């Protein structure tokens, strides 16, 4: 069993900052990548940022320069620092991890989601 537990969401004014955390625990052999997605009401879930075990990162164009993803391999944890937040960043943010749960098999796991609300 693998669990992803997110924390750090909340309500913030436009221009403010929040830091999300996602910790993976359980039967983890190795992690390939960890990602943050978000889903706003009435919209499809979209990829916000990703980081590989080697430290390579990806950002959606809408968050480049404002969000920073980082990881702590020893703790199986990823962070999303969100600065200069805008009302359009309001969404439920989900953590995703692609990992090996044994030596040969990998799959995606999802966290339960954390609400981020940015007021104007």
């Amino acid at each position: 069993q693998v669990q992803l537990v997110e924390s750090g969401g909340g309500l913030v004014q436009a221009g403010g900052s929040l830091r999300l955390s996602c910790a993976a625990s359980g039967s983890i052999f190795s992690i390939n990548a960890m990602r943050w997605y978000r889903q706003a009401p009435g919209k499809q879930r979209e990829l916000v940022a990703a980081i590989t075990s080697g430290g390579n990162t990806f950002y959606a164009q809408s968050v480049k320069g404002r969000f920073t993803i980082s990881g702590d391999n020893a703790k199986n944890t990823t962070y999303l620092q969100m600065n200069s937040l805008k009302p359009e960043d309001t969404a439920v943010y989900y953590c995703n991890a692609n990992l090996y749960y044994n030596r040969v098999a990998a799959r995606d796991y999802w966290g339960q989601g954390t609400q981020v609300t940015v007021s104007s």
Side-chain angles (χ1 to χ4, degrees):
Q1 290 280 17
V2 173
Q3 285 188 321
L4 301 183
V5 178
E6 300 132 333
S7 61
L11 173 64
V12 65
Q13 287 188 332
S17 298
L18 283 174
R19 188 192 194 211
L20 306 183
S21 300
C22 173
S25 63
S27 300
I28 300 170
F29 186 76
S30 66
I31 296 178
N32 293 322
M34 296 187 79
R35 310 176 184 101
W36 288 96
Y37 287 78
R38 67 186 180 187
Q39 187 165 20
K43 294 189 176 181
Q44 288 189 332
R45 191 172 296 189
E46 63 172 349
L47 177 61
V48 175
I51 186 166
T52 68
S53 58
N56 295 318
T57 58
F58 164 84
Y59 296 95
Q61 190 63 39
S62 59
V63 307
K64 272 184 181 178
R66 300 188 298 121
F67 290 11
T68 302
I69 189 169
S70 60
D72 185 334
N73 290 341
K75 295 181 179 180
N76 291 333
T77 298
T78 186
Y79 307 95
L80 186 67
Q81 177 67 42
M82 305 185 294
N83 298 329
S84 302
L85 282 161
K86 304 175 181 179
E88 50 263 45
D89 294 317
T90 296
V92 178
Y93 284 70
Y94 296 92
C95 178
N96 165 278
N98 181 266
L99 59 87
Y100 281 89
Y101 55 90
N102 58 40
R103 295 178 68 90
V104 297
R107 55 160 283 190
D108 279 359
Y109 292 86
W110 291 88
Q112 79 285 359
T114 185
Q115 177 70 46
V116 171
T117 303
V118 184
S119 63
S120 57

